Amino acid sequence: KKMEEAAENLEFERAAKIRDRINAIERIGQKQHIVASKIKNQDVFALSVNTENTCFEVFRFKDGKLFDREQFLFDVLPDDGQTRHEFLIQYYSMQREIPKQITIDSEPEDVDLLQRWLSEKSGYSVSIHVPKRGEQLELVKMCKANAAERLIILGGKKGRQLAVLEELAKLTGMKNIPKYIEAYDISNTAGDENVAGMIVFKDAKPYKSAYRRFKIKSFIGQDDFASMAEVLSRRFDEYLLHKDSNEGFGRLPDLILLDGGQGQLSSVLRVLKDKN
């Protein structure tokens, strides 16, 4: 409730701190819950990858209790079955004890072959399990969250910025993180002196040298839709003139943010289509 009140009052920094406290409390609850796993002996694996590093997290259970946690850091690796297969081979080549169940966030490549190798090495049947629901899925999610948190800590401020961009990409349905963002707003005084502001974020930080202000030239009066269309049209005309430089107007944004609603969006989509 306090978080929502702070957000409504535009106290976003306070709201973010309260949100972080809520998340921390939830993590404490999860860590307490993790102590009592129904499966007595198992290892849980999860992988997290960012643009610079890869982290494997391992939870080890004995008699239903978490007795060990390990983290392994690498340069960037593909988030795929082959990476998991090769890591499990390396990991269990060094382990004396192999549990009868190995739980992992995604299926390794050649899982049948891997299970056979693990079973032969241990002397008993070993299964690899990718959970879809329940306690085991929650363990995997926690394991993966720990791996992601480790990468954020490793990256320091840069890691936190990356996490913000990854969250933004998720919210907007983008496949890649938006490294270069442009935001636009229209302002006027009683319908006169229409101007537009453009601010830019590069790698999650204000890129003030790229900020611009536009004076609306194509008409007199108040029309936010036409103003937004004019500004974006002029901006992309500049791109066509300077695209070889890949700097300033010569760089295309990954994400455009508009102040307004469906009308502003429709106006700008027409401009993007016209400019191809």
Side-chain angles (χ1 to χ4, degrees):
K1 186 177 178 182
K2 286 182 179 179
M3 180 182 70
E4 290 171 354
E5 288 175 353
E8 287 174 3
N9 293 329
L10 306 183
E11 298 172 357
F12 298 119
E13 187 173 348
R14 179 167 171 260
K17 287 180 179 178
I18 296 171
R19 178 204 61 204
D20 292 343
R21 289 179 186 173
I22 293 168
N23 291 339
I25 291 167
E26 288 177 346
R27 283 199 297 272
I28 289 170
Q30 288 173 335
K31 287 176 181 177
Q32 289 173 338
H33 174 70
I34 200 174
V35 173
S37 172
K38 292 177 182 177
I39 296 176
K40 296 297 182 184
N41 300 316
Q42 69 169 326
D43 291 345
V44 179
F45 293 84
L47 168 67
S48 184
V49 180
N50 64 19
T51 56
E52 296 183 352
N53 296 102
T54 297
C55 178
F56 269 100
E57 180 91 14
V58 187
F59 289 170
R60 308 203 73 191
F61 288 85
K62 197 167 186 177
D63 297 325
K65 294 183 179 180
L66 180 67
F67 77 93
D68 195 15
R69 254 183 57 188
E70 296 178 287
Q71 290 177 333
F72 299 86
L73 292 168
F74 304 91
D75 291 335
V76 178
L77 296 171
D79 187 355
D80 61 14
Q82 182 179 352
T83 298
R84 288 169 174 79
H85 178 102
E86 291 175 358
F87 177 77
L88 290 176
I89 291 287
Q90 291 180 31
Y91 182 80
Y92 285 112
S93 294
M94 300 182 292
Q95 298 296 326
R96 291 183 179 180
E97 295 184 12
I98 301 174
K100 291 185 176 181
Q101 176 163 313
I102 295 167
T103 303
I104 193 165
D105 59 338
S106 183
E107 187 170 288
E109 193 175 77
D110 296 325
V111 66
D112 293 336
L113 184 64
L114 188 55
Q115 288 178 142
R116 190 158 60 248
W117 177 78
L118 290 165
S119 299
E120 290 173 357
K121 190 174 189 301
S122 64
Y124 45 78
S125 179
V126 176
S127 65
I128 296 173
H129 176 56
V130 181
K132 303 298 182 186
R133 65 179 72 86
E135 178 193 70
Q136 292 295 297
L137 179 59
E138 293 305 312
L139 291 180
V140 165
K141 286 181 178 179
M142 192 185 308
C143 192
K144 197 172 188 74
N146 279 23
E149 191 171 337
R150 172 62 175 161
L151 291 180
I152 291 171
I153 293 170
L154 180 69
K157 186 176 180 182
K158 187 174 181 181
R160 289 192 292 276
Q161 291 166 348
L162 179 63
V164 168
L165 292 178
E166 287 175 343
E167 180 70 11
L168 180 57
K170 181 180 176 182
L171 288 170
T172 53
M174 299 178 70
K175 292 181 179 180
N176 301 311
I177 62 172
K179 293 184 177 181
Y180 200 79
I181 302 169
E182 293 180 358
Y184 295 85
D185 188 19
I186 306 296
S187 183
N188 60 72
T189 53
D192 297 324
E193 296 297 324
N194 288 308
V195 295
M198 165 187 143
I199 67 166
V200 181
F201 273 72
K202 183 180 180 182
D203 296 325
K205 294 182 289 186
Y207 189 40
K208 294 189 177 181
S209 64
Y211 286 17
R212 294 290 184 272
R213 184 166 55 242
F214 299 82
K215 186 173 181 179
I216 305 304
K217 300 177 178 179
S218 61
F219 64 92
I220 297 174
Q222 183 176 355
D223 188 334
D224 281 1
F225 303 162
S227 297
M228 196 70 83
E230 178 189 324
V231 169
L232 270 294
S233 181
R234 287 163 58 187
R235 186 264 180 266
F236 287 107
D237 283 343
E238 290 292 323
Y239 166 72
L240 295 173
L241 293 173
H242 300 97
K243 61 182 179 180
D244 291 338
S245 70
N246 200 35
E247 291 292 335
F249 282 139
R251 179 173 181 175
L252 285 175
D254 302 309
L255 177 65
I256 298 170
L257 301 176
L258 308 174
D259 183 59
Q262 187 62 46
Q264 283 84 352
L265 179 63
S266 298
S267 299
V268 170
L269 287 175
R270 283 196 294 272
V271 171
L272 294 176
K273 185 177 180 181
D274 290 343
K275 303 294 181 184
N276 195 28

